[in-house]
Amino acid sequence: AQKITQTQPGMFVQEKEAVTLDCTYDTSDPSYGLFWYKQPSSGEMIFLIYQGSYDQQNATEGRYSLNFQKARKSANLVISASQLGDSAMYFCAMREGFSGTYKYIFGTGTRLKVLA
Amino acid sequence: GAVVSQHPSWVICKSGTSVKIECRSLDFQATTMFWYRQFPKQSLMLMATSNEGSKATYEQGVEKDKFLINHASLTLSTLTVTSAHPEDSSFYICSASGGFNTGELFFGEGSRLTVL
């Protein structure tokens, strides 16, 4: 069974608009972390935002916010005021396990294209 | 954020030769390093997890004699693709965890291997 599911292979958004990238996860661990990474065409993985399973508030980092709905096991990424440079592949990831035995699982990704 | 450097970025080799890829954490001690493989337009596939001074833990289906991983120090891990064949051509990307509060992964730039 997929532990991290990203159901949108590709998304389009108009420049300056907001866009939501979906991510659902599956784990029985009480403690876990959720991450979003951006991968431009050059290949490097860029950390965007982190949400801990015990965090009460949704994480925000500049134009990025994470809509964390624990009961629904979803961790959607919201990008506000999209820019052309946001066009990239976006991966949702989950960290399971304990410090020293962490395992990171990645979703299949969503390719975002920002239109001028 | 923390910096992980991966070298080389690109490598082309002949079938049957071995290729070594280095992954260095430049400004923190990486207790754990992860090696991923990424096929075009696909997600990151975890190959192995290495902890400094101990043997790497390989994921199911990954040949440990084919992909030799050494984590000799807290700042350096190497992946050696032995007797490379064209099917080993891929994008290999390392990441490191330094035990920060979020357990965030820091990624190297990736290495694109082409085996002729």
Side-chain angles (χ1 to χ4, degrees):
Chain A
Q2 289 282 349
K3 288 214 161 190
I4 292 282
T5 303
Q6 293 179 254
T7 57
Q8 307 152 313
M11 289 280 286
F12 290 95
V13 65
Q14 205 65 41
E15 195 179 9
K16 300 180 186 176
E17 298 287 314
V19 63
T20 298
L21 306 184
D22 295 342
C23 174
T24 57
Y25 61 92
D26 183 28
T27 182
S28 55
D29 286 359
S31 177
Y32 53 90
L34 298 158
F35 303 82
W36 277 91
Y37 285 87
K38 172 184 177 181
Q39 187 180 40
S41 56
S42 53
E44 76 268 30
M45 295 287 282
I46 302 167
F47 166 75
L48 296 179
I49 198 165
Y50 164 81
Q51 181 85 42
S53 58
Y54 293 119
D55 293 344
Q56 296 292 318
Q57 294 191 322
N58 287 344
T60 59
E61 287 286 348
R63 294 187 299 111
Y64 304 108
S65 61
L66 197 151
N67 185 359
F68 181 45
Q69 304 209 6
K70 197 169 183 178
R72 297 174 65 180
K73 293 190 174 178
S74 75
N76 299 340
L77 176 71
V78 180
I79 305 174
S80 62
S82 297
Q83 302 172 356
L84 295 178
D86 293 334
S87 294
M89 194 75 168
Y90 288 81
F91 290 100
C92 179
M94 177 172 65
R95 183 202 71 225
E96 287 185 305
F98 301 96
S99 181
T101 66
Y102 284 146
K103 200 164 207 177
Y104 296 79
I105 302 159
F106 286 80
T108 50
T110 296
R111 185 168 298 280
L112 177 67
K113 176 72 174 173
V114 180
L115 305 172
Chain B
V3 179
V4 174
S5 176
Q6 189 173 339
H7 177 81
S9 302
W10 293 84
V11 57
I12 301 173
C13 69
K14 290 183 178 179
S15 188
T17 60
S18 294
V19 173
K20 180 185 281 188
I21 301 169
E22 291 188 350
C23 180
R24 293 180 185 273
S25 57
L26 299 184
D27 54 359
F28 70 102
Q29 292 185 327
T31 50
T32 306
M33 285 189 170
F34 304 87
W35 286 94
Y36 290 88
R37 182 174 180 176
Q38 187 179 30
F39 292 102
K41 298 185 180 180
Q42 292 191 26
S43 187
L44 281 70
M45 181 191 80
L46 179 64
M47 298 175 68
T49 303
S50 73
N51 292 296
E52 184 264 340
S54 60
K55 287 185 179 180
T57 302
Y58 289 81
E59 294 299 300
Q60 193 172 10
V62 178
E63 298 175 62
K64 58 183 177 184
D65 295 330
K66 174 74 163 174
F67 300 100
L68 299 178
I69 291 171
N70 183 276
H71 193 161
S73 75
L74 283 170
T75 59
L76 174 65
S77 176
T78 59
L79 166 67
T80 302
V81 183
T82 62
S83 186
H85 287 92
E87 58 265 29
D88 298 325
S89 298
S90 192
F91 187 65
Y92 294 88
I93 190 164
C94 73
S95 62
S97 171
F100 297 100
N101 282 343
T102 64
E104 180 186 337
L105 270 186
F106 299 95
F107 283 87
E109 304 93 329
S111 300
R112 191 164 302 282
L113 170 64
T114 301
V115 184
L116 302 176

